[in-house]
Amino acid sequence: MRRLFVALATALTLGGLAGCASPPTKGTGDLGVVIERGTGTVAIVDTSERRVLAEVPGLGDLSHASVVFSRDGGSAFIFGRDGALTRVNLITRRIEQRVMQAGNSIGGAVSQDGTLVAAQNYEPGGVKVFDARTLALVADIPTEYAPGQRSRVVGLADLPGRRFVFSLFDADQIWVADLSDASRPVITRFENVGRQPYDALVTPNGRHYIAGLFGEDGFAMIDLWAAEPRVQRILGGYGRGGQPLPVYKMPHLRGWAVAGRQAYLPAIGRHEVLVVDTDTWTETARIPVAGQPVFVVARPDGRQVWVNFAVPDYHRVQVIDTQSRQVVKTLEPGKAVLHLEFTPRGEAVWISSRDANHVSVYDTTSFTSLVTLPLAAPSGIFFTSRAARMGF
């Protein structure tokens, strides 16, 4: 009788707990978000089932929205062009917190330990750092480079040890902010890095920070493992001997491609992808492509590199085979391709076509279309696998 009583009590307790809170039916590794810039909405998607699970409205101006994820992949931090930072719970599918932290924000990053989220701002210029759980402000870093003058911030990325690195577009500088003590950030400044750093990336091991230069041909690089880090100029004058073309859309380095020891980078004002040896940081090849590349992104295994383009070629996507360094496929998913994102192991790629109002999912081996999802003016696509990657 005693055993029967214990068994009944346990069953009632477990049943009561189950009735109080329904746990998620699956983990967050299958999830992602798609920005619907036309409606200020994010669509929560399932990458295995290839479908939209829910749409969360009320996120304001998403015309240049960017997303990073909490350490557990359960929350998406969304940076809006109107300066808002919003935390969306991907399990409950609702907004958890929202703060208007600037006048114009274009992205951010989460610290290595997952406790801090940083926003890079155009207006008023600078970086603000928040508690990742509550979105309470913990640090404000104004990028004043001359009396009364603040620079727009680009290329913000996380580094090991509660540090962030970012570029100052108007000041030709790169700063590293150490927030070991978030109440007293320690700033290291690198000056005269080159004209107008416009975007940047951190290599997967956190060693090199590379900023593209809009005001001149070339890139600025810092070896952050060096005893005394300094700025090194690489790929200087890559456009020498050719007539530069009008730049209709700034390339993005954050979706950079690495295959083996080669990096694949977009060339500003040229119909080329640059191939760079990551040991020597010298150019080893150039690959002609259909237009001016915007995103140059590697499939997770590094065997393929996928490229999208600025106008007038923004309806195309090209696939480069990294063994032959040749374009092996040209796709036309729809007008105004803005972004592409691989599933965590790379068997499929999701591509947004803003003016066609849909997201296309392709098999990366056969290049066949798997599904087309209707969404309102989709732009950025972000999967929770980014939570485990430095610089993403």
Side-chain angles (χ1 to χ4, degrees):
M1 289 294 293
R2 185 170 182 271
R3 289 179 182 174
L4 179 60
F5 176 79
V6 171
L8 286 170
T10 302
L12 288 170
T13 300
L14 292 176
L17 289 174
C20 291
S22 299
T25 57
K26 64 194 309 182
T28 59
D30 264 339
L31 303 182
V33 299
V34 179
I35 300 297
E36 295 182 84
R37 62 190 290 168
T39 58
T41 300
V42 293
I44 300 174
V45 298
D46 185 308
T47 63
S48 291
E49 298 180 9
R50 304 186 191 117
R51 68 186 182 97
V52 176
L53 300 177
E55 293 180 285
V56 180
L59 282 93
D61 184 355
L62 299 182
S63 59
H64 195 290
S66 184
V67 178
V68 294
F69 295 96
S70 60
R71 185 185 180 98
D72 63 359
S75 295
F77 298 99
I78 301 162
F79 305 88
R81 197 66 191 244
D82 54 7
L85 169 58
T86 309
R87 181 183 180 215
V88 173
N89 187 310
L90 301 182
I91 302 300
T92 62
R93 304 172 187 174
R94 63 182 180 87
I95 293 173
E96 295 264 325
Q97 294 102 9
R98 179 173 168 84
V99 295
M100 297 298 297
Q101 58 87 33
N104 187 338
S105 182
I106 62 164
V110 172
S111 62
Q112 183 186 37
D113 63 4
T115 64
L116 303 174
V117 57
Q120 63 180 13
N121 296 319
Y122 265 19
E123 177 63 40
V127 171
K128 288 186 177 179
V129 185
F130 302 86
D131 182 292
R133 184 177 57 86
T134 65
L135 292 193
L137 182 68
V138 298
D140 188 355
I141 305 170
T143 48
E144 187 173 13
Y145 62 97
Q149 293 183 295
R150 288 190 179 189
S151 175
R152 290 168 284 181
V153 176
V154 295
L156 175 69
D158 53 293
L159 295 176
R162 283 168 64 97
R163 294 181 300 156
F164 297 98
V165 58
F166 49 92
S167 294
L168 281 62
F169 179 85
D170 303 295
D172 303 340
Q173 297 181 21
I174 294 171
W175 290 10
V176 176
D178 188 334
L179 284 100
S180 299
D181 180 352
S183 64
R184 293 188 296 177
V186 176
I187 309 298
T188 302
R189 296 171 173 82
F190 299 88
E191 300 180 349
N192 302 315
V193 303
R195 290 180 54 206
Q196 297 176 321
Y198 68 89
D199 195 13
L201 59 89
V202 170
T203 52
N205 59 5
R207 177 169 183 174
H208 294 100
Y209 180 75
I210 302 170
L213 303 175
F214 183 69
E216 57 186 283
D217 289 348
F219 297 79
M221 183 185 73
I222 301 175
D223 182 350
L224 297 163
W225 289 6
E228 296 182 3
R230 61 182 182 83
V231 176
Q232 177 183 347
R233 300 293 295 280
I234 62 174
L235 305 177
Y238 63 75
R240 189 180 296 117
Q243 181 65 34
L245 299 170
V247 177
Y248 297 108
K249 184 172 176 60
M250 296 285 274
H252 286 261
L253 296 185
R254 187 57 56 89
W256 82 313
V258 179
R261 59 182 280 179
Q262 304 297 319
Y264 294 75
L265 301 170
I268 290 182
R270 303 185 67 85
H271 293 183
E272 294 176 329
V273 170
L274 306 176
V275 186
V276 182
D277 186 303
T278 58
D279 282 349
T280 62
W281 296 104
T282 56
E283 180 185 321
T284 58
R286 297 186 184 196
I287 302 171
V289 289
Q292 294 184 36
V294 176
F295 280 100
V296 178
V297 188
R299 196 172 71 177
D301 63 358
R303 179 60 192 271
Q304 295 174 350
V305 168
W306 290 55
V307 187
N308 75 318
F309 305 101
V311 293
D313 304 291
Y314 68 161
H315 60 292
R316 295 191 178 101
V317 172
Q318 290 194 313
V319 184
I320 297 170
D321 176 78
T322 57
Q323 292 293 98
S324 65
R325 295 182 181 172
Q326 299 291 320
V327 173
V328 296
K329 189 68 176 179
T330 299
L331 301 169
E332 295 190 4
K335 191 175 181 181
V337 171
L338 294 191
H339 201 211
L340 53 157
E341 179 90 337
F342 289 95
T343 51
R345 296 197 180 188
E347 78 286 350
V349 62
W350 292 46
I351 301 174
S352 64
S353 298
R354 181 195 63 201
D355 294 356
N357 292 302
H358 66 231
V359 167
S360 307
V361 183
Y362 286 91
D363 182 289
T364 59
T365 300
S366 66
F367 306 119
T368 56
S369 176
L370 300 173
V371 69
T372 300
L373 303 174
L375 291 167
S379 54
I381 305 173
F382 307 89
F383 295 157
T384 56
S385 53
R386 289 172 171 248
R389 301 176 65 187
M390 189 175 301
F392 281 84

